Amino acid sequence: MLKGNWKLIIVILLILLGIGGGVIYNQGIDNQPSEFIQEDSKDKQESQAKSKEDIYGLGIGDYAPEFNLENLAGEDIHLTDYQGKYLLLNFWATWCPPCRKEMPDLNEFHQENRGEFVVVGVNIGEDKEDVKKFMHSGGYDYPILLDRDCQVAFLYRASVIPTSYFINPQGQIQYIKRGLVTKEELEEIKQNLMSE
């Protein structure tokens, strides 16, 4: 019986020592001179850069997450390569009927708006040669990026295809369309985005 009480007393003492040590440690931090807590200008710049990274996301007004993918010519393309123009980022696949249906409208929109809008298709998980043949047979000429391992589609939550992100020249998401988009919708979205 006495052995059991000693164990309980030791456990209680250890708990009290842990609590007391934490209080003393926290008071020591709080009582440090302010010169140790203040950031120098380099730390402030790093902190501001991190805060911009924190606003990357998939909501309206967020900066679109950066990525790089290979295009059909084998070049490594970064999302930031398109900054300075409006961007329509369209996730699609050749086997997807709504994707195939909207492609003539996307291609026409691309041809008519090259100076202001860049239409970029992100093909999800398909072979480069198959995608090239599909684009050639349809007469489509807008840029295509190959997301072979589906990581960018996952990053952009493109669980429904087609999914289109409309991104402003600064790289911020302004509108998201899940499902097929028509030429009329594209024109309406363009007007709305460019009038903001």
Side-chain angles (χ1 to χ4, degrees):
M1 177 109 175
L2 193 53
K3 280 185 178 178
N5 287 339
W6 280 109
K7 288 181 184 177
L8 181 62
I9 290 171
I10 290 173
V11 169
I12 291 171
L13 284 174
L14 288 173
I15 292 171
L16 290 173
L17 283 173
I19 293 171
V23 169
I24 291 168
Y25 175 78
N26 285 334
Q27 285 180 342
I29 289 175
D30 291 343
N31 291 330
Q32 284 184 358
S34 61
E35 64 201 36
F36 293 114
I37 296 172
Q38 291 179 349
E39 297 178 321
D40 64 14
S41 63
K42 183 180 176 186
D43 289 341
K44 283 183 181 177
Q45 289 173 351
E46 288 175 7
S47 175
Q48 288 171 349
K50 285 181 185 173
S51 66
K52 185 176 180 184
E53 288 174 11
D54 291 341
I55 56 176
Y56 282 88
L58 297 178
I60 303 302
D62 289 343
Y63 286 91
E66 174 61 24
F67 64 82
N68 65 295
L69 292 171
E70 183 181 305
N71 67 11
L72 292 177
E75 302 164 321
D76 193 39
I77 304 296
H78 293 259
L79 179 67
T80 52
D81 293 342
Y82 298 109
Q83 276 194 329
K85 290 188 177 183
Y86 285 90
L87 172 66
L88 190 172
L89 192 62
N90 176 262
F91 290 87
W92 71 285
T94 62
W95 49 262
C96 160
C99 300
R100 296 167 75 110
K101 187 172 182 180
E102 76 177 0
M103 288 185 82
D105 286 351
L106 290 173
N107 199 63
E108 188 178 336
F109 184 78
H110 163 71
Q111 290 173 351
E112 292 173 359
N113 296 282
R114 285 179 201 252
E116 304 164 313
F117 250 95
V118 179
V119 176
V120 176
V122 178
N123 179 267
I124 303 172
E126 294 185 278
D127 178 71
K128 180 198 272 189
E129 292 307 313
D130 292 341
V131 176
K132 272 186 177 180
K133 286 177 191 171
F134 178 83
M135 294 297 289
H136 180 72
S137 68
Y140 307 128
D141 66 349
Y142 59 90
I144 298 295
L145 304 178
L146 301 168
D147 186 17
R148 290 189 183 103
D149 59 6
C150 306
Q151 291 300 308
V152 176
F154 180 78
L155 175 65
Y156 276 77
R157 297 185 196 141
S159 56
V160 172
I161 58 172
T163 292
S164 297
Y165 284 85
F166 294 81
I167 301 169
N168 72 13
Q170 293 76 38
Q172 295 169 290
I173 297 169
Q174 289 190 291
Y175 186 76
I176 304 166
K177 168 70 177 182
R178 299 196 190 281
L180 181 142
V181 63
T182 66
K183 181 75 167 44
E184 292 74 26
E185 286 177 295
L186 288 168
E187 290 298 335
E188 186 178 334
I189 293 167
K190 174 190 164 190
Q191 294 305 319
N192 290 338
L193 298 185
M194 297 183 97
S195 65
E196 288 182 4

